Amino acid sequence: DIQMTQSPASLSASLEEIVTITCKASQGIDDYLSWYQQKPGKSPQLLIYDATSLADGVPSRFSGSRSGTQYSLKISRPQVDDSGIYYCLQSYSIPYTFGAGTKLELK
Amino acid sequence: QIQLVQSGPELKKPGESVKISCKASGYTFTDYAMHWVKQAPGKGLKWMGWINTYTGKPTYADDFKGRFVFSLEASASTANLQISNLKNEDATTYFCARNNYYFDYWGQGVMVTVSS
């Protein structure tokens, strides 16, 4: 199984910062990597797919990138509404695997 | 618009069974696989498996082999998850999600409570 090591587990950021969340895959996943935001009591929402493509309706302050087997989600000048838990997902091979999640708090 | 609408919350006793539905609308049901995801209270997301909505063939993650069954009512554009012999650890929220090599649409989730 492919392991997705996500970090950090939590972070607190100001509205002026650039927030970066990373997921490192235990092996190559050919950019079959997506990012999701989940708010309390809600289902996850797709932010980024294919590692770097922005999902429909997602603000351009969200972006995705890759370096080797490490994938990153960047939020530039986050808004208060960006608080929540962020997950990565590899869909390269079965079983699909999620990262453990990053809880983002905006201060 | 594309929607996945899941059935309502369930309260069951240990040892009972539960069937959760996920009704799709706004697209051709058989064009996209349906996946199932579990989320324990306060915990992360865990992939359970998927069902080929064209052939009906299910595939289960190792932790969900045995008591879990994915099925279809294709004429109703509905995917189902049935869990038999419920245990305390099954008390959690279950999501369906449409697969496009990523999960572009999700159901709202169904909370299953297991209590004697």
Side-chain angles (χ1 to χ4, degrees), chain B residues 26-105:
Chain B
Y27 70 97
T28 301
F29 182 68
T30 52
D31 281 352
Y32 297 86
M34 194 69 76
H35 289 234
W36 291 92
V37 175
K38 174 180 177 177
Q39 186 168 38
K43 300 295 185 183
L45 302 168
K46 187 175 179 70
W47 183 78
M48 300 175 66
W50 68 288
I51 186 164
N52 184 318
T53 53
Y54 186 77
T55 65
K57 180 185 174 185
T59 300
Y60 302 95
D62 285 346
D63 287 349
F64 300 98
K65 292 177 179 175
R67 299 185 297 113
F68 298 81
V69 175
F70 306 146
S71 63
L72 301 176
E73 295 170 49
S75 61
S77 298
T78 298
N80 300 307
L81 164 64
Q82 183 161 350
I83 309 171
S84 59
N85 189 20
L86 281 163
K87 304 179 186 304
N88 289 335
E89 59 261 36
D90 298 325
T92 186
T93 298
Y94 297 90
F95 295 99
C96 60
R98 188 182 87 156
N99 184 54
N100 199 5
Y101 289 102
Y102 44 87
F103 298 155
D104 54 359
Y105 292 92

Side-chain angles (χ1 to χ4, degrees), chain A residues 23-25 31 65-72:
Chain A
C23 270
K24 185 169 177 59
D31 288 354
S65 63
R66 174 181 69 85
S67 175
T69 59
Q70 180 161 294
Y71 293 83
S72 298

Side-chain angles (χ1 to χ4, degrees), chain A residues 28-68:
Chain A
I29 58 172
D30 201 19
D31 288 354
Y32 284 90
L33 188 286
S34 46
W35 291 96
Y36 303 84
Q37 177 196 63
Q38 187 178 32
K39 292 184 177 288
K42 300 293 187 181
S43 54
Q45 299 295 306
L46 177 68
L47 298 173
I48 300 286
Y49 64 95
D50 295 348
T52 60
S53 297
L54 196 65
D56 289 346
V58 175
S60 59
R61 61 180 180 272
F62 292 91
S63 63
S65 63
R66 174 181 69 85
S67 175

